[in-house]
Amino acid sequence: MAAALASSPLVHLTASRLRLPRPRASVSGAAAPPSCSRGVRLGWRLTVGWRATRRCDRLRCFSNDGGGGAEEGEKRGEEEASAAAAPAAEELGSERSRSGSFSSSSGTYSAIFYFDQTPGASSEPPLLSFSVDNIDTVKLLELLGPEKVDPADVKAIKENLFGYTTFWLTREEPFGDLGEGVLFIGNLRGKREEIFAKLQRQLRELTGDKYNLFMVEEPNSEGDDPRGGPRVSFGLLRKEVSEPGPTTLWQYVISLLLFFLTMFSCVELGIASKISSLPPEIVSYFTDPNATGPPPDMQLLVPFVESALPVAYGVLAIQIFHEIGHFLAAFPKNVKLSIPFFIPNFTLGTFGAITQFKSILPDKKTMFDIAMAGPVAGAALSFSMFFVGLLLSSNPVGASDLVEVPSQLFQGSLLLGLISRATLGYRAMHAATVSIHPLVIAGWCGLTTTAFNMLPVGCLDGGRALQGAFGKDALFGFGLTTYSLLGLGVLGGPLSLPWGLYVLICQRTPEKPCLNDASDVGTWRRAALIASVFLVVLTLIPLWDELAEDLGVGLVTSF
């Protein structure tokens, strides 16, 4: 037993005393299992992390005596358990009976074994307990971390997959976020796509569906491959580690709750668009920071809910159309997506939605296309609403449907402010308030939300597209720049801070690598992304007062 405890990989963690049930004897007349001998078998079972387990059994006592009663069997079990614990305590050099300490290369342990046999005590069976101190953190993290690649499989893969005709292996390195995989580094001996397809096929024949093979760019490479393009290496991860898990019931519940909250925030946005006709006490309470007194009666807003629905429907339609774009692009590629988690926001109605990949992406083109499909669909519908709303705003026939909004709204975006100025004219825009159709508000909010989601940072749509087109290193540099611009308020104006916090909390992590992470997306995809980022910047940069006054966007002197 001392040897078993000494070889335990747990070190540097103080654990509370573990109490194990005392073994019971078998009932009289019951035959013992064939594989068990008479006496006591002591073991322990510890399950840590996700998959790391150390197999052992509960304390059990089996009896082959067919004539003894239950009492005799239990008494015999106590004697044998005590006899089994005593040598272990003596071997550990204990100063007290049933206790001792020992050390190993990993650290120091202490153990205490005892039986509660007080007369008149509870009928609960006596317990055997021990405590483990000073557990090694490094080895504990190995148990808590994801399951690693089997060394025997690595040896078989090196012998059967790699060679002169495929990939000449030179060295190995850890692969994965926690080093749970193996990265094979060497020299490619053919066209990368053909070699990769051949290695994947041979891996399935050798190990079945146990592992996923990734083709990635070689880290710290000194030059490109002689055949063109970057040098590549092959990473090996267990399937259960590399593939995303399924959507759980709780995630469906949370998604539904967030959708209802988003509907409420969109209705609130529609009510706020009627600010010129809302009761003065409500407007003053929510807009004047120096307002005092009890809050106004919110029932006064009920008559305005029906008139707020067009804006709410427009904002929700844009976001749903955005998500449909993602799913339509993912379906032909056999890529599974999670249910969208809508993020409510009272200024724009919604900050968009979080949609996760639920399967490994085959290549970077797939990542780029799925990431861009949503913003393109959402932006197309948003701009259609925005432009049609501007045309209806300048038409006297539909004057009864217009709402008055502060002209300062159009100073929130350089691009959208200029388009509004060109459509409505100087006289309409150079005033304290502007009469516009509700579609303008819905389209404006949709375009702003789409632009925010196209920022090249984390796992936003823009971050995924940039990672697919230029790689994770480029995403890191663009991400730092984006965070800086948001922190300084250069992008997004008053929404820069809440949006930056939202990204830091929910969307800061880049996507995991594709199976073929060394693939090229092509020139036209990169050009489309650069043009999109340029439009995003123009949309999110607010108009400063001097430029707004010169262009006639809003009446700056009135504020």
Side-chain angles (χ1 to χ4, degrees), residues 23-260:
R24 290 182 178 275
S26 60
V27 180
S28 174
S35 60
C36 298
S37 61
R38 177 180 174 181
V40 180
R41 217 170 56 178
L42 176 63
W44 61 280
R45 179 184 179 95
L46 177 63
T47 302
V48 288
W50 299 324
R51 305 174 184 85
T53 58
R54 290 297 179 268
R55 300 297 306 272
C56 52
D57 301 321
R58 288 179 177 270
L59 230 103
R60 295 185 294 178
C61 178
F62 300 98
S63 173
N64 291 329
D65 186 3
E71 281 186 14
E72 294 178 0
E74 185 164 335
K75 182 177 180 181
R76 183 167 55 254
E78 293 178 3
E79 294 173 354
E80 292 178 354
S82 302
E90 294 174 3
E91 185 179 351
L92 298 175
S94 171
E95 293 182 359
R96 297 178 295 177
S97 62
R98 310 292 197 274
S99 67
S101 62
F102 57 92
S103 61
S104 69
S105 58
S106 300
T108 304
Y109 301 80
S110 66
I112 300 174
F113 303 89
Y114 66 90
F115 288 96
D116 296 326
Q117 299 179 5
T118 305
S122 172
S123 60
E124 181 182 355
L127 298 177
L128 172 68
S129 69
F130 65 92
S131 62
V132 182
D133 299 323
N134 302 332
I135 297 182
D136 191 351
T137 312
V138 176
K139 293 187 177 180
L140 179 63
L141 288 177
E142 290 180 0
L143 294 177
L144 293 175
E147 194 170 356
K148 292 190 174 183
V149 175
D150 190 349
D153 292 334
V154 174
K155 182 180 179 181
I157 289 170
K158 290 162 60 177
E159 293 175 351
N160 295 279
L161 267 68
F162 302 137
Y164 288 104
T165 59
T166 55
F167 184 76
W168 183 253
L169 181 65
T170 58
R171 69 181 189 274
E172 303 170 23
E173 291 183 1
F175 181 68
D177 296 335
L178 299 176
E180 64 274 22
V182 179
L183 181 66
F184 301 103
I185 300 176
N187 300 314
L188 201 62
R189 299 302 178 94
K191 294 183 178 179
R192 63 183 63 185
E193 284 77 14
E194 297 177 0
I195 298 297
F196 183 52
K198 181 179 180 181
L199 293 178
Q200 284 183 312
R201 184 177 63 257
Q202 293 177 343
L203 180 65
R204 285 193 297 269
E205 294 173 355
L206 182 64
T207 63
D209 293 332
K210 191 175 181 180
Y211 297 102
N212 279 321
L213 187 67
F214 297 82
M215 183 168 68
V216 299
E217 296 184 13
E218 181 179 320
N220 304 320
S221 176
E222 297 179 355
D224 292 338
D225 191 279
R227 295 176 178 82
R231 295 176 62 88
V232 298
S233 302
F234 295 96
L236 186 70
L237 287 173
R238 285 185 176 269
K239 237 176 186 180
E240 59 267 25
V241 173
S242 56
E243 293 187 353
T247 303
T248 64
L249 177 62
W250 279 111
Q251 288 177 322
Y252 282 106
V253 172
I254 292 173
S255 175
L256 186 62
L257 292 176
L258 288 175
F259 181 72
F260 285 134

Side-chain angles (χ1 to χ4, degrees), residues 137 152 163 392 476 487 497 525:
T137 312
L392 293 176
F476 179 77
L497 182 59
R525 283 185 173 88

